[in-house]
Each structure stands twice: as C-alpha cells, then as structure tokens.
Amino acid sequence: MSDSTTVRDGFIAMMIHDWCKTVLNADGKWTGHQKFDPQAQGGVAFGPSDAVTGTQLRELFGAQVVEYVKKHEEIRWGAADSVVAAIGIADRVQKAMYQLQDAHGTIISERELPEVLKLRLFPYPPFYPYYGEAVTAWDPHLAAQLLRDAVYTIQTQSATLPILLAAQRPFRRFPHTTYMPHLSLELHQRFAATLFLLVNKQLRQLQAAGRPFTDLTNLHFSVITAVPDPLELFYRLRDVTAYRKATRDLRADLYKSIFQAECTALPGASAAANPFEYYTFDGLVLVYDEAQTVLDAIQASADRRHTLRSLTVEVIEYSIALNGGNYFSPRHTPEVQRFTILEQQSQVFPTTTLARCQRCNIPVAEPLPSGLCESCETLMQKPSRIKNLETVATDETGKTQRLAYVFLTLPEDLHAESARVAQLHLDRMIEDARRLRHPEDPAWADPNLPRLRPTKMGLFEYLEAVLSVESMQREIRKKKPGGVKRIAEFPRLTIYVMREGLFLEFFEILEETTAQMHLDLKIRAILCDLKTPVWSLMDRFTDHPREQERRTLVDTGGGEIVMFTDEEVKAIRDLAGWNSKAAARTQLQALVQMARKGSLEELCLEIDRRCKKGKIWNNFAEALKGYLRNLKLETSRTGDDTEFANREKRALFIKNVADLGDFKGQ
C-alpha cells in the first residue's frame, strides 16, 4: 500500500471514527462504538429492514479504514507506521484539550465528574446547539437516522473530501460527549482529521531524520481568522459580488501556495474543500501549524491582486505537551493576537499631491483619465456578473425603488460570546435533567448540584460558533428571494441589499431563520435612496450595538436619519401585513404629508376623519393611532428641532407601512 493510500485511509478513518456514537442501545447509551458495527453495539433502532451493518461499512470504506477506526483509541509510540501513530495521538490530543472545568474553574477529568452526573446524565444524550433547536434527550430511532443519512450520502456518491464534509453535517446536531452538550460530533471528527494530518506530517519529518516518534514532545498549531475590511471594497466598486470574488481568489492563492501540497493524498481536496478550513464563505477560519506561513501568503495575495486592501486577522496559538503517552495542555487560556494586513501599494503615497482616486480616495501622483488609481482602474475593467446597485434597485417593471441594507452582527469577541452561550447550555443541561429526567430523584433536587463550565481553552466553542454562523447563512441563502443580494458573509457580520419592495418579505424570512440563533445576533436595516451617501452610517452598522434592541431600522427618506426600535419595526410589519383593503395607498400617502405638517393630535384627528368617511378601516385606524402614540420620540434636541424630528419619524413610520404593505392604489 502506497504512502498516499495509507494517509488517505487514516484521514477517512478520523472523519468517521465516531459515527457509531449515534447507535444507542436499549438503555439509551452508546457502547462499543469503536467496533464500527451497530449490531455488535446492540443498537435498538437497526432492524433487519433498515440495518446499517459492520459488513456494509467495511464495503463502503474498505477494510483498512475500518481497521484504523477500531484502533483509534490505542496509542502506539513504537509503531513503524506514522499513520497508525498519528491516529492515536490526534484522538487523544483532542480529548486532552477539552479540559472540563468545575464551578470554581478547576480542571477536572471525566473520572472526577460528580457521581450524580456520571450515572444519570449519560443515557439518551442531550444536545444544545449554537444554532437550531435543542434536543433534551436523543431518541435512538432519530439518532440512528443521522447515521443512515451519512451512509447514504457516501453510498450515492463517493468518499471524496467534499462528500465526506457533506456527510458530516447531520452530526452537527449530535454531541460528541454527553456532558458537553454544546460541542458537536461533526466538529470533533473534522478537528481530529485536521490534527491527524498535522501530526502525521511531523512524525514523517522525524522518521525522515531517523528519529523516533517519541521525540514529538509538543504539538503546536494555531487558529487563524482573516476577514476583509467590511465595506472598503464594496465602497470602491459598488459591486455586490465583490467580496465573493475577492475571497475566492484569496482562498485559491492560499490553497495553491500552502495547502495543495498537504492534501495530495485526499481525493477531491481543493480550495473549496480544504480540511484545514472551518468557514467557507467570505472569510477564512483555518487550523494550521505554521501561522506565519499563512500570514505571509495572505500578504502576498493582497499585494498581487489589489482587491483586498486590508484584512483583520486573529491568531490564537495552542501548544499541547506530549509526555510519554499522557497528554495535557497548558493550564492557561490562550490569548488572541489581533492585527491588520495591508496591501503594500495602498501604503505608498506620493510625497506631494492633491490628486485623489475618485473611488477609494487614496492620494495618486497622477490619476488616470478615468479619475481612478491604477488599482481601482484594473478592478473596474474586470468582467463581472455584476449585480450593481442600480440593478438591485430596479423591480420587474423597470421602476427604480429605494434600497434596503440589512446587517446581521455578532459581538466583536466571538470567542467570549461562544463561551457565554456554552455556559448557558451547560446550565440548561443540568436544569433540564433535574426537571425532565429526574423530577423525583432527591439527588437532583440538591440546590448545590455541581456546575460545569466550558472548556478551558475555548477552541471548540469558537469553532462550533463559526460552524453555526455558516449554517444560519446557508439557511438564509436557501430561503431568501432572488432579488436579495449578499454583499458579505463573514463569521460575525452578514450584509444584504435589496429593493425596498422585498424588505418586508426578507425581514420575515430573517425572523424565522434567525429565531434559533443562540448567539447574541442583532439585525439592523437602512432604508435609503439609491444616491443617498450612506457610507459613514453603514460603517457604524458593521459594529455590534451595545443596546438591547435586537432589531433596529433606520430610514433616511426625509433627509433626516430616523431610527426605529425593535418594537416599532414589529409595528410596521404588523400594519403592513393587514388586508390590502384596510386602507388605500393614496390615503396613507396623504397621511405621510399630514404627519410632516401637523402635531400628533392633528394627525390622529385626520385619521379619524378619513375613517369616518370609510376610506380607512376602523380597526386599522385604531391600530395605526396606537402605534403612532407609542413611538419613541426625540428628546435630545430643543424647540422646533425636536418637533421636526418627531414629525419626520411619524411620517416615515406611515410611509414604511404604505411601501411595505400590499395596499391598493386607490
């Protein structure tokens, strides 16, 4: 068997080695999962007609892969084969990194778990995801279906890397460890496979130097997150496809210069299916053992392509000490290193010049006839499937509408946020076990029941959060209307743009799709004219707001920046969703003009007058007046400025109801 074949088989083994944890016996436990044979495990959900058998798995993956799976928990430093040694080391290293903590932050082993948790929590394992609905206790039949789905994915296609990654997705809803219900089986297997490649590479280097495997005393690697400047490229090009193309090019450059050589043994590996990458949209989240090599490659790509002038980069370094088969990691929380990578050309300015590029505003010695710098000129000449702003704003009839920008943000420190949510999930696990599983058990009634805390290193919580953000973004992709365009999809920021007529429909889709996101997600929107210079406002919207409002709408239609709160956005959606006969569009448009001229009482009087004439439904009129009276009004200004701002807010409130609803013209 060739070296590439054994590496391939070792990698596949690590990608599937715990699949049979979804095989639960009559007691709701997984036992003997390393046998890789549901029947040998006593799986209650695998009858004769719907069985997944050990023979079937052997035929699907090959005898060598199954043999590796069966021995993945064995550590053999003396093995002559680096693949065999790397499999055991990768599995044990990852387990050591969990570093479970008690309520006081003391690291404890699985053996030190409180007896009440050890004996009573393990059956029918729970799972509390970062994105999705919680499972308080997995049913054996539903758990078995995850395995069937994964096997079916491989059977109908092949065991190439893209298919292996797709087959992992069902396991994003199932725990790897019963007392860590926020960490998925998918992440465990993908990360184990990544570690396998890194460990095998280092063992082969030792082998080539004639040194024993025991000389590998420390395993070093980093998690590298790189995200482009959120608006700089879009501002320069006004092209909503800009980030997709720029990040695709960056990803291709990195794969060619670094990862292609690492993946020669993996069929189907590519820039789009990279075993070292954990996020596949408009940012990079990589696990690799040579961080500086990655940073240098990012710099080289930025300098060569001129598209991404700046990227924010986070690097977290991890070091795992290997000590004669006992694996442990440093007893401290690794620090996040944050810095910016800048394209070299954008930092070299003429010593004296008044000329500036009309797109990016950098100084230029002599602008081109187009008024652009050389970099922007090159970008503007590239052919594009452009969905530019004029195209986005135009409806099916050719009429140009206002634009709506929608921002989905997560906290800047996604590491801390992922740990916060993990703690909530661990606490909920204990509470649900007390309330749902053991309501009559006095041991669970103890108010001092031990509290578990997230992993000390926080690595898995962060990667789990990243995978969950991608799942949410993927779900939005499936459901959004075609006229809604993606400007950027980053790990902590997502930006969409659309014509105003699609805003309400898309907002309802967002409400449904993001309802199960347990991270602190905020949704903010801007409604503006096509030519409105909203760049400075948009720049502020890429930051995560501190206020408690989950949804905020800003309208610039009257020349003023008017902000609507979460409850006010709900009110607009409520009124816009009324029957089309509740009010004619012309009636609402007339009320917009009235709102700009008169006080609240005068506006309500006008609504009553039109209602009495039968032009507005009574119930609709009462609801409209109630919402107008509850609007959060401006208080920071004085005199006429305050009254003008409040009138404008009432006018834009009614205008949004008219524009977003399906009201008839007359």
Side-chain angles (χ1 to χ4, degrees):
M1 186 179 294
S2 68
D3 287 345
S4 61
T5 301
T6 56
V7 172
R8 180 203 66 193
D9 288 349
F11 177 82
I12 293 175
M14 297 312 287
M15 285 285 278
I16 67 173
H17 70 281
D18 277 347
W19 274 16
C20 285
K21 281 191 173 182
T22 60
V23 179
L24 304 180
N25 63 20
D27 296 323
K29 299 179 181 179
W30 66 63
T31 56
H33 63 277
Q34 68 274 8
K35 297 176 182 178
F36 215 54
D37 185 344
Q39 278 66 43
Q41 294 176 239
V44 296
F46 293 89
S49 62
D50 56 2
V52 174
T53 66
T55 300
Q56 182 183 10
L57 293 172
R58 183 178 293 269
E59 291 173 352
L60 190 61
F61 295 108
Q64 185 61 72
V65 170
V66 174
E67 191 65 22
Y68 285 151
V69 170
K70 289 182 176 181
K71 297 181 178 179
H72 73 267
E73 293 186 345
E74 299 179 14
I75 303 298
R76 284 169 284 175
W77 285 101
D81 186 351
S82 64
V83 170
V84 174
I87 287 173
I89 293 171
D91 186 67
R92 288 287 295 276
V93 162
Q94 182 173 198
K95 289 178 181 177
M97 290 183 67
Y98 279 141
Q99 291 191 311
L100 187 68
Q101 302 176 92
D102 63 17
H104 306 290
T106 303
I107 297 171
I108 59 176
S109 69
E110 184 174 325
R111 295 187 184 90
E112 296 172 300
L113 276 173
E115 200 67 20
V116 65
L117 299 183
K118 191 182 302 183
L119 296 179
R120 304 296 180 86
L121 190 61
F122 288 3
Y124 307 102
F127 187 63
Y128 299 91
Y130 284 90
Y131 177 65
E133 190 174 353
V135 180
T136 56
W138 265 101
D139 175 87
H141 294 275
L142 296 178
Q145 191 57 46
L146 302 180
L147 178 59
R148 291 193 192 94
D149 290 345
V151 168
Y152 179 78
T153 299
I154 303 293
Q155 281 178 328
T156 55
Q157 300 181 75
S158 61
T160 61
L161 184 53
I163 304 307
L164 283 168
L165 291 171
Q168 294 294 339
R169 285 188 189 143
F171 303 116
R172 193 170 292 185
R173 299 163 45 219
F174 194 86
H176 163 251
T177 304
T178 57
Y179 53 84
M180 288 187 170
H182 60 294
L183 300 178
S184 69
L185 186 56
E186 178 197 15
L187 175 60
H188 168 73
Q189 294 180 137
R190 286 183 60 177
F191 193 79
T194 301
L195 286 183
F196 163 77
L197 293 175
L198 298 178
V199 172
N200 182 63
K201 176 177 67 174
Q202 296 188 35
L203 292 180
R204 287 174 63 84
Q205 291 171 350
L206 290 173
Q207 200 171 41
R211 297 167 59 190
F213 292 159
T214 51
D215 281 1
L216 181 62
T217 57
N218 284 279
L219 180 63
H220 302 279
F221 62 89
S222 301
V223 175
I224 306 157
T225 303
V227 176
D229 180 286
L231 286 174
E232 190 269 347
L233 184 58
F234 178 55
Y235 176 77
R236 290 163 67 194
L237 300 186
R238 314 297 202 270
D239 177 2
V240 301
T241 65
Y243 281 114
R244 233 169 306 153
K245 292 178 292 187
T247 310
R248 181 188 61 205
D249 291 342
L250 172 62
R251 186 171 273 116
D253 289 346
L254 294 185
Y255 185 79
K256 184 177 181 180
S257 62
I258 300 174
F259 300 113
Q260 190 170 25
E262 305 271 12
C263 299
T264 54
L266 308 181
S270 66
N274 184 346
F276 300 98
E277 188 165 5
Y278 288 77
Y279 185 78
T280 58
F281 292 157
D282 300 334
L284 303 174
V285 179
L286 300 160
V287 176
Y288 197 57
D289 58 351
E290 299 175 37
Q292 192 57 51
T293 300
V294 173
L295 300 181
D296 291 344
I298 293 174
Q299 181 74 66
S301 178
D303 292 344
R304 182 166 70 89
R305 293 190 179 271
H306 308 303
T307 50
L308 299 176
R309 285 198 168 157
S310 68
L311 298 98
T312 300
V313 179
E314 294 180 352
V315 177
I316 308 180
E317 296 181 352
Y318 297 90
S319 180
I320 313 301
L322 316 180
N323 180 20
N326 296 315
Y327 301 92
F328 59 93
S329 52
R331 298 290 178 105
H332 70 278
T333 302
E335 294 183 359
V336 181
Q337 303 174 56
R338 293 185 175 92
F339 47 92
T340 302
I341 290 180
L342 298 172
E343 176 204 5
Q344 290 294 331
Q345 183 174 317
S346 66
Q347 302 176 68
V348 180
F349 302 138
T351 53
T352 56
T353 181
L354 296 177
R356 291 180 176 271
C357 173
Q358 293 180 8
R359 282 281 175 175
C360 66
N361 203 40
I362 68 167
V364 289
E366 185 175 343
L368 298 172
S370 62
L372 306 181
C373 67
E374 184 178 349
S375 176
C376 286
E377 175 76 11
T378 301
L379 293 175
M380 294 298 291
Q381 290 176 354
K382 286 187 176 182
S384 169
R385 299 181 293 110
I386 241 179
K387 300 293 182 188
N388 57 41
L389 296 181
E390 288 80 5
T391 305
V392 173
T394 305
D395 64 18
E396 299 87 346
T397 67
K399 181 181 177 181
T400 300
Q401 299 183 9
R402 293 202 303 167
L403 287 173
Y405 294 90
V406 177
F407 299 78
L408 277 60
T409 64
L410 289 166
E412 184 72 27
D413 190 346
L414 194 53
H415 305 270
E417 174 63 10
S418 63
R420 182 190 69 84
V421 174
Q423 185 64 70
L424 294 177
H425 285 343
L426 287 165
D427 291 345
R428 183 180 171 187
M429 173 187 71
I430 300 298
E431 181 56 34
D432 283 350
R434 175 191 287 121
R435 181 173 56 89
L436 301 175
R437 295 183 179 218
H438 313 290
E440 307 299 329
D441 190 333
W444 284 90
D446 182 358
N448 298 316
L449 197 67
R451 189 187 195 200
L452 301 179
R453 294 178 59 179
T455 65
K456 183 73 171 178
M457 305 186 84
L459 166 66
F460 301 111
E461 284 82 0
Y462 174 66
L463 292 180
E464 196 73 60
V466 168
L467 291 176
S468 297
V469 171
E470 184 181 278
S471 291
M472 180 194 71
Q473 292 167 334
R474 199 181 298 278
E475 192 69 15
I476 295 172
R477 281 188 178 190
K478 292 178 185 176
K479 295 181 178 180
K480 72 176 183 64
V484 175
K485 304 303 177 184
R486 294 169 279 138
I487 293 178
E489 293 171 309
F490 301 141
R492 55 159 298 273
L493 171 67
T494 314
I495 310 174
Y496 302 96
V497 64
M498 69 217 72
R499 64 180 183 272
E500 186 178 22
L502 293 173
F503 175 68
L504 183 61
E505 178 185 356
F506 182 61
F507 212 80
E508 290 174 348
I509 290 171
L510 284 183
E511 284 288 280
E512 175 191 351
T513 309
T514 63
Q516 292 296 328
M517 172 52 75
H518 302 286
L519 298 165
D520 181 23
L521 181 76
K522 299 289 177 63
I523 303 174
R524 293 188 289 177
I526 303 175
L527 296 177
C528 62
D529 294 327
L530 181 61
K531 302 300 183 182
T532 300
V534 297
W535 306 106
S536 60
L537 184 63
M538 289 176 65
D539 190 51
R540 296 204 305 270
F541 268 40
T542 62
D543 294 329
H544 192 67
R546 294 183 179 181
E547 60 266 19
Q548 295 301 312
E549 299 286 350
R550 184 172 182 268
R551 293 169 291 265
T552 307
L553 172 65
V554 169
D555 196 318
T556 64
E560 284 276 311
I561 296 176
V562 177
M563 183 172 293
F564 294 100
T565 66
D566 192 345
E567 291 302 316
E568 291 164 354
V569 173
K570 290 180 182 178
I572 291 171
R573 291 177 56 209
D574 174 47
L575 292 171
W578 275 64
N579 189 295
S580 60
K581 297 179 181 179
R585 186 179 301 277
T586 53
Q587 295 297 317
L588 294 175
Q589 289 170 343
L591 290 175
V592 170
Q593 300 305 316
M594 181 63 196
R596 287 189 168 124
K597 296 176 181 178
S599 67
L600 173 60
E601 292 309 315
E602 290 171 324
L603 176 59
C604 289
L605 187 63
E606 180 65 20
I607 294 172
D608 289 337
R609 188 178 69 80
R610 293 172 185 268
C611 179
K612 187 174 182 179
K613 290 184 176 182
K615 296 180 179 181
I616 301 176
W617 285 5
N618 183 65
N619 290 345
F620 182 84
E622 291 301 317
L624 176 58
K625 289 190 296 180
Y627 286 137
L628 288 171
R629 288 192 173 102
N630 288 326
L631 289 180
K632 185 178 180 181
L633 300 180
E634 176 65 53
T635 58
S636 60
R637 305 186 191 186
T638 58
D640 292 342
D641 284 347
T642 299
E643 180 59 22
F644 175 80
N646 293 335
R647 288 179 180 181
E648 187 61 32
K649 182 165 186 176
R650 289 190 286 266
L652 290 178
F653 180 88
I654 300 172
K655 182 180 185 302
N656 279 305
V657 172
D659 290 346
L660 299 174
D662 190 28
F663 302 105
K664 302 302 181 183
Q666 297 293 330

